[in-house]
Amino acid sequence: MATQYFNKRNLDFLLYEVHEAEKLTQFPRFADHNKEVFDMTIESAIQIADNLMFPFVKAVDKNQPELIEGKVSVHPSIKNYLKAIGESGLIGADFDYEDGGAQIPVTITSALGYILMAANNGMMYTGLTSGAARLIANFGSQELKDAYIPKMLEGKWQGTMCLTEPQAGSSLSDIVATAEPLPDGTYKIRGQKIFISAGDHDACDNVIHLLIGRIKGAPLGTKGISLFVVPKIRLDGSDNDVTSMGIYHKLGQKGVPAMHLGFGDKQDDCIGYLVGEENKGLNYMFQMMNEARIGVGLTGASIASAAYYAALEYAKERPQSRRLNQKHALDAPQIAIIQHPDVRRMLLFQKSVVEGSLSLLIETSKHFDIAEATMDEEEKRRAHLLVELLTPIAKTFPCEYGMLAISDAVQCFGGYGFTEDFPVEQFYRDIRITPIYEGTTGIQSQDLLGRKVPMENGKAMQFLAEEAGNTIKQAISDEKLSKYAILLKNSLEKLQKVTMHLMGIAGSGDIERYLSDATLYMELFSLNVVAWQWLKQGIIARQKLSESTIDNDFYESKIHTMKYFFHYQLPKTDGLATRLTDTEVLTIVSEKEYLM
Ligand SMILES: Cc1cc2nc3c(=O)[nH]c(=O)nc-3n(C[C@H](O)[C@H](O)[C@H](O)COP(=O)(O)OP(=O)(O)OC[C@H]3O[C@@H](n4cnc5c(N)ncnc54)[C@H](O)[C@@H]3O)c2cc1C
C-alpha cells in the first residue's frame, strides 16, 4: 500500500502562491475568514481523510454494497466517515450562514474535496448530499430548508441527484417520471430512476432524493420538468413508498451503491414536495451544474493523484536493469526504475496532469467565488463567463487525461500494477466512470463548442484570452520563461484559427458537421488551458527561486514539469488542429453504412 495520496506542499502552492486564495477575504461574503481559518478547515479534512478514509480504500472496493431483502448494506467504515464529516461541519462549509454553512470559499472546499476523494473515492457520499442540500437552499421554500438541510449537513440524511431514467441518460428532456398535484399542495410521484448514486444505504437514517419529473399536462421537453424533494422516509416517520429495485455491480467506485429505484411502486403512495416553481426543475439543476461538474473534475484529479504518488513511491524502490549506457556492466547493481527515461516520462506525465488539473480546478473555483461574492457588476459578469467557459474543461480534462495518467501509473508497476497487491488497478477502474457521469465527455464537448465558445458573441473567449495574455506578458520578460510564453501565445493563436474555421461551418447552418469533432476541439482547448496553468505555476516558481533559497527543489521541480508539459503535451495540438480544419468528413451518417 502506498503511504501518500496527495501532496500538501503542492496544494498550498496552488492555493496560496499561484491563486492567492486569501485575497478572497476582501469580499464581504468571506470577510470573517483568513488564511488560518482556511488552513484549519483543510487540516480537519486531512484528519478525516488520513484516519477514516485512506485506511479503507481496499476494504470498500472488496466489500461492495449488496441489496438483500430490500435493504442496502454498505461497508461499516462509511458510517464512521459520515458521522465524523457531519460533526466537522465540512459537508456544508461553503453554504450561506443562514443555511447552516460557514461561507468558506468554494476554492477552499474544492481543495477539501480533492483531499477527501484522493484518500478514498469509494466513500464519495457527501458531495452528493451537499449538492442536493444546495438545491433546497437555493431554490426551496423556508419550510423545506428547515425540514431537510440541517440533518443533511450533519451527515445523518443522505442526499441524491435523481435524474437518470432508462430511456433518458444524456437526453434528460426525455424523462417520464410523473408528479400528480394533490389537494394539499404536495405531489404524488410515479416512475423509476436508475444509476442513482448513494440512492439507498444503511449508513444513514434517511435518503432525500432531489428528483426531476413531469407534472401532469406539462409541456414536452426541458420546459416541462419540475424538481421535487422526495424523502425515503417522511418527516412523520412513515414510509414514502420508495423501493430499491436493484443495485448495479460496477467496474469501480464500488463503495458507493448505484441504485435502481421505484417511486410509488408498492402502494402508489410516494409523496414529493415541489422545489421552487413548476416546470423550472431543469433550469435549477443547470444552475447547480457548474459545482457538480467541478466536483467530478476534482474526482478525476484526486484518483489520478493517489495513483501518481503510489507509482512514484514504487518507482523509487523497485530495482530493475541498469542505465542504458551501462547495459553490459552486469556486475553493477540494478538501478531503481525511476532512473529509466521511459519511467520518468510516465511519471512526469502523471505529475503534469495531476498538478495541472488541480490548478485549473482551483482557477475555476476562484472565479466561481468571485462571481458569487463581488458587488461589482462588470467583475461579476467576467467571473461568471469564465466559470461557464472553463467548467466543461475542468470537468473533462482531469477525467480523460486522469485515465491516461493512471494507465501510466499501472505501467510503472509493470506486472504488479495489474495485480491486486497494489492499489493502482483499483484506481484505474475507479476513474473510468468520471468521463461518463455528470454529462459524458461528448456532451461536455458539445457544450463547450456549441454553447460556451459562442456565448455572448464570444465574450467568454475574449475574457479567457485576456487572462492568458496577462500570464504571457508576465512570463515573456523572464529569460527562462519567454520561450514558453511564446509557445503558448502561438498555440492560442492556432486555437483561435480553428475556432474561426468551426464558426464558419456553424454559420453555414450545418450544426452536425460543426459539432462532429467537438471532443477533439475539447482536447485542443484543454491542452492550451492547462499549458496556461503550467506557465502560471512557472512564473511563481521563478519568482520564489529569485527571492529565497528555501524550498528550491520544490520550485525547480515545478519548472521542470512545466517544461515537460510544453515539450511533450502541447505539441499534440498540432495534430488536433490539423484534423479540426480538415475538410474530409468521415464520422457523419451517410447513405452508405461503413461501420460493420
Ligand atoms: C456509477 C454511476 C453513477 C451514476 N450516478 C448518477 C446519479 O447519482 N444520478 C443520476 O441521475 N444519474 C447517475 N448516473 C447516470 C449517468 O449520469 C448517465 O449514465 C450518463 O448521463 C450517460 O447516460 P446513459 O448512461 O444513458 O448513456 P447515453 O446517454 O445512452 O450515452 C451513450 C453514449 O452515447 C453518447 N451520446 C449520447 N447522446 C449523444 C449526443 N447527443 N451526441 C453525441 N453523443 C451522444 C454519449 O456521450 C455516450 O458516449 C450514474 C451512472 C453511473 C454508471
Side-chain angles (χ1 to χ4, degrees), residues 367-433:
H367 292 301
F368 185 95
D369 282 324
I370 295 171
E372 184 124 322
T374 180
M375 306 290 181
D376 178 319
E377 282 310 311
E378 195 40 41
E379 189 180 30
K380 193 182 269 304
R381 176 174 178 239
R382 183 185 181 92
H384 172 72
L385 285 179
L386 283 168
V387 172
E388 289 290 305
L389 183 64
L390 290 175
T391 298
I393 304 164
K395 195 265 167 180
T396 304
F397 180 85
C399 301
E400 289 285 351
Y401 268 63
M403 284 194 306
L404 301 176
I406 300 181
S407 179
D408 270 359
V410 172
Q411 197 72 12
C412 286
F413 277 85
Y416 296 102
F418 197 64
T419 70
E420 293 183 359
D421 296 357
F422 289 95
V424 284
E425 63 82 24
Q426 180 186 337
F427 299 143
Y428 191 53
R429 291 184 283 106
D430 284 350
I431 197 171
R432 190 60 190 85
I433 184 61

Side-chain angles (χ1 to χ4, degrees), residues 128 160-172 193-198 250 252-253 258 433 436-443 446:
L128 292 155
T160 81
M161 293 294 184
C162 214
L163 285 67
T164 307
E165 298 176 8
Q167 77 297 342
S170 299
S171 181
L172 288 175
K193 296 282 178 183
I194 59 165
F195 292 143
I196 305 308
S197 295
K250 301 175 284 164
Q253 283 195 339
I433 184 61
I436 297 173
Y437 59 27
E438 199 50 52
T440 62
T441 293
I443 298 299
Q446 288 181 16

